[in-house]
Amino acid sequence: MTGKTTIPWPGMAIALIAALAMLFAGAGFWLSVVVAAIWIGSLFVRRPQIDQPETVAPGLIAKRDIMRDVIEPLGTPLLLIERDRVLAANFAARAALGAHVIGQDARIALRHPEAMQLLDAEDGTSVTIPGFTGGRSLWQLTRRHIDDRRWLIEFQDRTAESDISRAHTDFVANASHELRTPLAAVIGYVETLADAGDTIDGETTARFHHTVLREARRMQALVADLLSLSRVEAEKHDVPKDELDLGKLAERVAGEAASIAGKDRIKVTSSGQPILIAGDSSQLEQLVRNLIDNALKYGDSAEPVQVSVSAEAKNKVVLRVKDRGAGIAPEHLPHLTRRFYRTDPGRSRAAGGTGLGLAIVKHIVERHRAILDVASTVGEGTEMSVTFNALSTDAE
């Protein structure tokens, strides 16, 4: 079918204007010329019509093109299906499924048996398919009616929601386990004392009382850390704006820790100059306290924990806490900030650790838009550093 060719003057004008805009924006002359030439040339190329026999009315063809253009910029993955063939897939759908699905039989494009049920389902029918795009992915597919010939499949990626739900479930299970262990010990020893009455000797009674007190304090520490973690998570989107001297704060917290652990156990290095950052003082005190506490627990008791705050280049401030000890094996480093993660569970519990200290540190670091780094060598020790943005030129 032939006809008179219409010169697309408006399209050519737009192409030339775009080329001039590229020149003014700093693009090269020849690059602008090539782009304009390709653009104008494309206006004279007749786009092939896939699966559009000459018996199809021009109005229907135009409607198809309009629908393609409408769904293309949408962020939700969408497949436009005509009868049983994929007529179009927007950018989000192509990214998820691949561009090859366009023109395919819908059964081949969808691949999964549960997804294929949508081909004969009613409007609004949804299916949720684990592993639809591989791995631990979770997708919800919904059929949306357009007319008697065409319909859409809407894809909703539920993977993140599933991961969050799984994380919450794991957290509750871990927290319950951590609380159940000391609670069982407390109940067991108290029941023994109650049942034995006066028949148990004083030394054994004192030992049992000591164990009950230790386990009760362990539960108290765990509950306190759970509450701290909850508060930090609730505030993580609120960027702190209070001005404070990180050097003085670290010296104060280290002094408090040294008064308990011993003055020779902690060594503080400071420039003596104000090192200002924007932060939440109570949370930063907890951050420094947790890092020092970790270093004291797992470092060599004969070597002091070194705490320093220094101004670095590019307006950065770095807090460092270093110990000399057994160090951490490389395979553990990526998991240290996970809740209840322990490299040595027995040693951690014996030292009174809850498994939440570094998880709290991670959330405080994120709230302050800082960066946490862990460097460790087995047999030599561990250094944990937190890099903050400085407030003043004193930190340059």
Side-chain angles (χ1 to χ4, degrees), residues 310-324:
S310 59
E312 306 283 341
K314 298 183 180 178
N315 218 35
K316 299 294 182 181
V317 171
V318 183
L319 164 71
R320 293 184 176 88
V321 178
K322 184 177 182 179
D323 68 71
R324 298 283 296 175

Side-chain angles (χ1 to χ4, degrees), residues 199-243:
T199 61
I200 191 169
D201 63 89
E203 183 181 347
T204 302
T205 299
R207 189 173 71 252
F208 281 15
H209 283 161
H210 175 75
T211 302
V212 168
L213 181 60
R214 185 189 67 230
E215 295 300 324
R217 285 174 174 167
R218 179 178 163 191
M219 284 192 292
Q220 184 183 42
L222 181 59
V223 171
D225 279 353
L226 286 169
L227 291 173
S228 294
L229 184 60
S230 177
R231 283 194 298 268
V232 173
E233 285 185 321
E235 297 172 348
K236 67 180 179 180
H237 297 298
D238 301 328
V239 181
K241 294 181 172 59
D242 294 339
E243 182 180 298

Side-chain angles (χ1 to χ4, degrees), residues 229-303:
L229 184 60
S230 177
R231 283 194 298 268
V232 173
E233 285 185 321
E235 297 172 348
K236 67 180 179 180
H237 297 298
D238 301 328
V239 181
K241 294 181 172 59
D242 294 339
E243 182 180 298
L244 57 86
D245 187 335
L246 184 62
K248 287 185 177 180
L249 183 146
E251 287 181 3
R252 183 172 66 254
V253 174
E256 293 170 357
S259 66
I260 299 172
K263 63 179 181 178
D264 296 330
R265 290 288 286 120
I266 301 174
K267 180 180 179 182
V268 181
T269 303
S270 177
S271 65
Q273 299 295 324
I275 300 179
L276 304 179
I277 66 168
D280 181 315
S281 60
S282 63
Q283 287 190 0
L284 290 177
E285 285 177 4
Q286 186 172 20
L287 179 147
V288 176
R289 191 178 300 113
N290 285 5
L291 292 180
I292 292 176
D293 187 49
N294 252 33
L296 289 171
K297 286 176 182 174
Y298 304 112
D300 187 341
S301 59
E303 296 286 343

Side-chain angles (χ1 to χ4, degrees), residues 103-117:
Q104 280 189 339
D105 185 289
R107 291 173 176 79
I108 298 174
L110 295 174
R111 303 187 304 275
H112 199 281
E114 291 186 42
M116 293 179 193
Q117 295 176 9

Side-chain angles (χ1 to χ4, degrees), residues 31-220:
L31 176 61
S32 302
V33 171
V34 169
V35 169
I38 293 174
W39 191 331
I40 293 172
S42 68
L43 299 175
F44 292 91
V45 177
R46 178 171 294 179
R47 184 170 61 181
Q49 303 294 334
I50 300 174
D51 294 333
Q52 292 176 351
E54 293 187 0
T55 55
V56 178
L60 290 177
I61 296 175
K63 189 175 181 180
R64 290 177 183 177
D65 292 340
I66 291 171
M67 285 190 290
R68 286 194 188 100
D69 294 339
V70 167
I71 68 172
E72 178 62 23
L74 299 179
T76 300
L78 295 169
L79 289 187
L80 174 61
I81 296 179
E82 186 175 59
R83 300 194 187 281
D84 289 332
R85 187 165 295 277
V86 178
L87 188 64
N90 66 355
F91 176 80
R94 297 195 300 273
L97 305 176
H100 63 277
V101 299
I102 300 175
Q104 280 189 339
D105 185 289
R107 291 173 176 79
I108 298 174
L110 295 174
R111 303 187 304 275
H112 199 281
E114 291 186 42
M116 293 179 193
Q117 295 176 9
L118 294 176
L119 299 177
D120 302 314
E122 297 179 356
D123 181 45
T125 302
S126 294
V127 294
T128 301
I129 305 175
F132 183 68
T133 56
R136 298 172 68 176
S137 65
L138 182 70
W139 288 82
Q140 180 181 351
L141 281 62
T142 306
R143 176 175 174 137
R144 304 294 186 191
H145 177 76
I146 297 176
D147 55 34
D148 293 338
R149 298 171 57 90
R150 287 169 291 271
W151 48 283
L152 289 170
I153 293 183
E154 176 187 22
F155 295 79
Q156 294 287 340
D157 188 355
R158 304 297 187 191
T159 307
E161 297 173 18
S162 176
D163 289 344
I164 292 172
S165 176
R166 190 182 302 112
H168 285 170
T169 301
D170 292 343
F171 175 69
V172 171
N174 288 330
S176 300
H177 172 74
E178 293 290 336
L179 285 168
R180 189 184 303 118
T181 303
L183 183 60
V186 168
I187 293 173
Y189 280 104
V190 170
E191 285 180 343
T192 301
L193 288 169
D195 293 342
D198 296 334
T199 61
I200 191 169
D201 63 89
E203 183 181 347
T204 302
T205 299
R207 189 173 71 252
F208 281 15
H209 283 161
H210 175 75
T211 302
V212 168
L213 181 60
R214 185 189 67 230
E215 295 300 324
R217 285 174 174 167
R218 179 178 163 191
M219 284 192 292
Q220 184 183 42

